Amino acid sequence: EDQVTQSPEALRLQEGESSSLNCSYTVSGLRGLFWYRQDPGKGPEFLFTLYSAGEEKEKERLKATLTKKESFLHITAPKPEDSATYLCAVRHHLNYGGATNKLIFGTGTLLAVQP
Amino acid sequence: KAGVTQTPRYLIKTRGQQVTLSCSPISGHRSVSWYQQTPGQGLQFLFEYFSETQRNKGNFPGRFSGRQFSNSRSEMNVSTLELGDSALYLCASGRDQETQYFGPGTRLLVL
């Protein structure tokens, strides 16, 4: 069964304390792994798309990496404004070969950065 | 470029009623997907539309339905509302097989 698992469920960091969030997946035929950030009461905000193992993307204090089984979101020297829920999602090809934009989401990591 | 817009932003309904939610995608996007988000289940896929055709459907009862118009705008309808339908309903749009961008959501409360 296609599955996305994120860990840890919650993470509390001090400002400037770097860390990593994990997203492991089991899907047939990965067609993209996506990271989103979600603030309370708002829709997910797109961060990164990764398509193949070894790929890396960076944006400000965030860096996303992808292997054949998992992805990491590295946060370097976080600030309080980085506090949010970080969601990982995957898209895969359908068994019959049809196209889909359906995303399978993990349950997210709630990050709190204290000043 | 304007983002995905959803209306209304908040809704309060009572059990047994029906509700229609609207989504306007980013200009040029022909793919629209709908998700239900609850604290217990997270983000669950409802259905997706591409060029007015429903291409994929999640594991939700038939009370949940949707459609897409020729201008790519989409609506979803929930009939005979139940308490468990209380959730944040999210719409996402994108170019086919590319990144999906989410709207702010519609918060539905069923009393």
Side-chain angles (χ1 to χ4, degrees), chain A residues 4 6 23 25 30-37 44-51 57 64-66 71-73 86-92 100-106, chain B residues 35 93-102:
Chain A
V4 178
Q6 291 188 246
C23 171
Y25 61 91
L30 182 71
R31 290 292 182 266
L33 184 142
F34 305 84
W35 283 98
Y36 291 88
R37 167 197 170 126
E45 175 190 345
F46 169 71
L47 294 173
F48 302 108
T49 303
L50 302 166
Y51 287 106
K57 294 270 181 76
T65 61
L66 180 65
S71 176
F72 293 93
L73 184 65
Y86 290 84
L87 296 165
C88 171
V90 299
R91 183 175 63 215
H92 64 119
T100 181
N101 291 303
K102 171 187 175 181
L103 297 176
I104 302 170
F105 278 88
Chain B
Y35 294 82
S93 82
R95 302 187 192 282
D96 198 25
Q97 303 297 287
E98 295 185 11
T99 298
Q100 300 289 296
Y101 297 89
F102 283 83

